[in-house]
Amino acid sequence: GQNIDQPTEMTATEGAIVQINCTYQTSGFNGLFWYQQHAGEAPTFLSYNVLDGLEEKGRFSSFLSRSKGYSYLLLKELQMKDSASYLCAVRDSNYQLIWGAGTKLIIKP
Amino acid sequence: SQTIHQWPATLVQPVGSPLSLECTVEGTSNPNLYWYRQAAGRGLQLLFYSVGIGQISSEVPQNLSASRPQDRQFILSSKKLLLSDSGFYLCAWSGTVGQSTGELFFGEGSRLTVL
């Protein structure tokens, strides 16, 4: 079966750095996405990785290792507004998205 | 720029009543359209997707149906709601893979409570 694993919840301190991991087992691979979802709202697109390595976009970076079936989202200089759920999704060989259950990130002052 | 809207934002319906959620996209043509459901603490569950007018693929057999009467309009319906239909429903669109990375853009969401 196809599976995406990410931690259910993480806590971090304002101004710090946090890394949210995602491991996947899918039928093929055609890209990995990270989305941010604030409580009660729709997900918004953060990043896309299809090749191994690090993609940096401001305070957010996303890393991919296809051989390990592993990605992480790195958030720097955490702000209270970063409190949200972070969803990992993998596009499989049929170009269908397989979604993780999301990681709820709690930022404390 | 492209925008997506869905409505209503919130609705409370009795068991056995019908449902209609509507979604429209502006600023793009021939988008891929999707209906997802998100239960509390769960991942997104794909319900239907469409690559063109009148073309609907169902991922989960259930009492829900979808229609795409126009290129940028996607409708989710039910004739008789069940308690298990409660959840957060999300409409989304994407461009064609190859023309973009294929990321999804979501509507605001519709929270359905069936009593």
Side-chain angles (χ1 to χ4, degrees), chain A residues 25-84:
Chain A
Q25 292 177 313
T26 57
S27 302
F29 178 85
N30 281 296
L32 184 144
F33 299 83
W34 284 97
Y35 286 80
Q36 180 189 60
Q37 185 177 24
H38 285 100
E41 299 182 6
T44 55
F45 170 72
L46 285 179
S47 68
Y48 171 73
N49 295 73
V50 67
L51 299 176
D52 290 350
L54 188 69
E55 294 283 340
E56 297 186 79
K57 193 182 292 186
R59 293 189 299 115
F60 292 5
S61 303
S62 56
F63 171 83
L64 173 67
S65 169
R66 288 172 296 171
S67 62
K68 295 182 179 179
Y70 167 71
S71 173
Y72 67 73
L73 180 69
L74 191 71
L75 291 75
K76 303 176 183 177
E77 301 170 12
L78 285 170
Q79 302 175 10
M80 297 303 293
K81 67 178 182 179
D82 297 330
S83 292

Side-chain angles (χ1 to χ4, degrees), chain B residues 59-79:
Chain B
E59 294 296 307
V60 182
Q62 56 202 336
N63 67 319
L64 298 173
S65 62
S67 61
R68 184 171 179 173
Q70 300 180 45
D71 181 45
R72 291 170 291 176
Q73 184 184 26
F74 206 23
I75 299 171
L76 182 70
S77 304
S78 174
K79 293 182 179 179

